[in-house]
Amino acid sequence: QVQLVESGGGLVQPGGSLTLSCAILGGTVRRYAMAWFRQAPGKEREFVAVTKQSSGTQLYSDSVKGRFTISRDNAKNTVYLQMNSLKPEDSAVYYCAADASIIVSSLRQAYQYDHWGQGTEVTVSS
């Protein structure tokens, strides 16, 4: 049974940085496409970033491109989301997701992912 465990959320001032981590338990990160989604109160869950296994394809939402970086450490079985230049509108619960067989055209679609973490909250406020 694959489990995803996120950490690293917290309160940060606008313009600050945070790094989120997502560790896979019961699986090997190199086998999975690993993504980050976020959900703000009253809003739908939205795609943030993804790193595809094998090809190394990385995609970002337009709202975070140039500010966020997704990376994976296969030795630590962990995926990271480095978030810089944070804005109040980045405040949300951030979820890690994984899928072993997702195709490139579906990488931005939350319902395509089989495994989810419990979420970690990020609040950007002065």
Side-chain angles (χ1 to χ4, degrees):
Q1 180 74 14
V2 172
Q3 294 183 42
L4 306 180
V5 181
E6 301 106 330
S7 60
L11 173 66
V12 63
Q13 292 187 343
S17 298
L18 274 178
T19 300
L20 306 183
S21 301
C22 173
I24 287 190
L25 306 179
T28 304
V29 71
R30 67 175 73 246
R31 294 187 58 240
Y32 294 88
M34 300 296 300
W36 288 94
F37 290 80
R38 66 187 182 186
Q39 188 166 16
K43 295 187 177 181
E44 294 187 356
R45 192 167 298 191
E46 65 169 346
F47 167 77
V48 175
V50 63
T51 173
K52 181 99 171 51
Q53 73 275 43
S54 302
S55 69
T57 298
Q58 293 184 347
L59 299 174
Y60 297 89
S61 69
D62 289 343
S63 61
V64 307
K65 196 177 297 182
R67 299 188 297 122
F68 290 12
T69 302
I70 190 170
S71 62
R72 63 171 72 211
D73 186 331
N74 291 334
K76 294 184 177 180
N77 232 20
T78 300
V79 172
Y80 303 96
L81 185 69
Q82 172 68 44
M83 306 186 295
N84 298 325
S85 302
L86 282 162
K87 305 174 182 180
E89 51 264 42
D90 294 318
S91 298
V93 177
Y94 283 71
Y95 296 92
C96 179
D99 196 279
S101 58
I102 193 169
I103 59 177
V104 172
S105 60
S106 299
L107 289 173
R108 298 174 185 265
Q109 299 169 344
Y111 71 91
Q112 297 282 1
Y113 289 81
D114 286 341
H115 308 288
W116 289 86
Q118 80 288 352
T120 185
E121 187 168 9
V122 173
T123 302
V124 184
S125 175
S126 55

